[in-house]
Amino acid sequence: LFDRFKKGLQKSRTSLVERLGNVFRSRKLDESVYEEMEEAFIAADMGVETAFALVEDVRALARKNKVENAEQLPELMVEAMSKMLSEQDSEMRFATDGPTLVLMVGVNGAGKTTTIGKLAHYYLTEGKRVLLAAADTFRAAAIEQLLAWGDRVDCDVIRHTQGADPAAVIFDAIQAGRARNADIILCDTAGRLQNKTHLMAELAKIHKVAARELPGSPHEVLLVIDGTTGQNGLNQAKVFKEVVDVSGIVVTKLDGTAKGGIVLPIVHEQGIPVKWIGLGEGMDDLQPFDATAFAEAVCK
Ligand code: GDP
């Protein structure tokens, strides 16, 4: 699994190595090394604030370990990055009793529906009973797409017609989940960030119904972000955090980007844990987030 993960992240990996390879090989540890490191971090889409903080962490580690040669920096870089990524807890939260309700939010095209399919497959493989809820009732295509995933992974989908009240879909999904002893209910939602007021009202209503019908829920609100959008993805995290209580992030499409660094400011600046990463379009292409494995894949 780790190899596949590394391969998936090859593009971001290569870019850090490419940019810093020469610096690490041939230089004494002076200020210019740290400057180039900071530039490489920014180029990998970590943003200025996080890039600066990370360089300071590496510098502190170098001082502590009395490192004098730049050759030893890659290891310190992994250590600092891994520590920064561990600031937030990446474990999924489950209900202590009854079904666990997971709301998926995010803009259209980020990979919400695909991630729901992959998550369903992941938990079904673990022997859990999974139910899907098509609460993105705005687009008929979204309902169709979730049904297709339901077919593919062999999982029931609770749905209404297009234009129906999303909260009513959640209501039905919870009743069905209870009746069928589901362990996990994965809910798709509409992602119209252009209309923030509407989105807020819709998610608030879903929340209200969920909390009433299944006390303690939603147990997770996972924001899905396209990892190829760089700093734009970071802005989406900010906006969604204002609208809804995001409990974790899924970064998708990390197989197709040199910008894997986006994960760091999400954790460090936004204070939201990354819980999963998407590394392809197939049902197996989802990995629980692992701080050390991720740091190693990005750095080494
Ligand atoms: P939604 O609108 O947020 O539900 O997004 P979709 O789930 O429909 O995904 C949009 C496109 O991104 C689809 O073509 C997916 O196959 C693709 N996609 C989703 N996740 C990944 C991923 O991790 N890697 C790659 N390469 N493509 C992905």
Side-chain angles (χ1 to χ4, degrees), residues 45 225-235 257 259 262:
D45 243 335
I225 285 180
D226 180 338
T228 65
T229 59
Q231 292 295 303
N232 188 22
L234 191 65
N235 282 332
T257 177
K259 315 223 173 210
I262 184 70

Side-chain angles (χ1 to χ4, degrees), residues 35-55:
E35 276 167 19
E36 291 204 34
M37 190 185 281
E38 189 173 343
E39 270 172 37
F41 287 167
I42 292 169
D45 243 335
M46 287 181 204
V48 176
E49 191 183 325
T50 295
F52 181 76
L54 195 58
V55 168

Side-chain angles (χ1 to χ4, degrees), residues 105-116 118 136 139 142 145 149 188-189 224 226 228 251-256 277-282 285-286:
V105 301
V107 301
N108 293 335
K112 250 180 310 167
T113 315
T114 307
T115 302
I116 289 176
K118 292 176 186 174
D136 179 356
R139 296 178 304 151
Q145 208 191 335
W149 268 105
D188 201 5
T189 66
V224 180
D226 180 338
T228 65
V251 184
T252 62
K253 309 186 196 182
L254 283 179
D255 51 309
I277 56 170
L279 294 161
E281 301 187 89
D285 298 328
L286 186 76

Side-chain angles (χ1 to χ4, degrees), residues 55-257:
V55 168
E56 289 312 299
D57 291 347
V58 176
R59 200 198 295 270
L61 282 175
R63 222 177 275 139
K64 195 177 126 207
N65 294 302
K66 301 196 169 43
V67 167
E68 280 168 13
N69 196 307
E71 263 174 331
Q72 285 163 275
L73 281 190
E75 262 169 58
L76 300 186
M77 215 162 74
V78 173
E79 192 180 333
M81 208 180 273
S82 167
K83 199 159 154 259
M84 184 180 272
L85 290 169
S86 304
E87 284 169 11
Q88 310 292 333
D89 181 10
S90 291
E91 291 293 313
M92 286 284 280
R93 293 189 297 216
F94 293 99
T96 43
D97 188 32
T100 294
L101 189 81
V102 181
L103 286 187
M104 305 294 285
V105 301
V107 301
N108 293 335
K112 250 180 310 167
T113 315
T114 307
T115 302
I116 289 176
K118 292 176 186 174
L119 271 177
H121 177 67
Y122 183 94
Y123 285 119
L124 286 165
T125 308
E126 280 196 339
K128 299 219 159 70
R129 277 180 297 260
V130 183
L131 193 63
L132 306 184
D136 179 356
T137 59
F138 189 69
R139 296 178 304 151
I143 303 175
E144 293 303 319
Q145 208 191 335
L146 198 67
L147 282 171
W149 268 105
D151 269 349
R152 202 172 306 156
V153 301
D154 196 15
C155 183
D156 285 343
V157 181
I158 302 299
R159 66 182 193 277
H160 287 192
T161 48
Q162 184 190 3
D165 181 356
V169 179
I170 300 296
F171 180 93
D172 278 1
I174 291 172
Q175 308 312 318
R178 276 233 176 79
R180 301 176 202 183
N181 264 323
D183 297 304
I184 301 174
I185 307 171
L186 302 169
C187 310
D188 201 5
T189 66
R192 279 156 295 146
L193 204 52
Q194 313 86 290
N195 192 338
K196 208 168 131 186
T197 323
H198 190 110
L199 182 68
M200 213 183 287
E202 185 167 310
L203 289 173
K205 193 169 175 199
I206 287 176
H207 262 267
K208 208 172 93 186
V209 169
R212 190 184 67 212
E213 299 303 317
L214 190 63
S217 80
H219 304 90
E220 287 278 3
V221 179
L222 297 182
L223 171 62
V224 180
I225 285 180
D226 180 338
T228 65
T229 59
Q231 292 295 303
N232 188 22
L234 191 65
N235 282 332
Q236 283 169 23
K238 279 183 203 157
V239 175
F240 268 93
K241 219 174 75 171
E242 289 165 14
V243 175
V244 64
D245 200 2
V246 177
S247 62
I249 290 201
V250 183
V251 184
T252 62
K253 309 186 196 182
L254 283 179
D255 51 309
T257 177

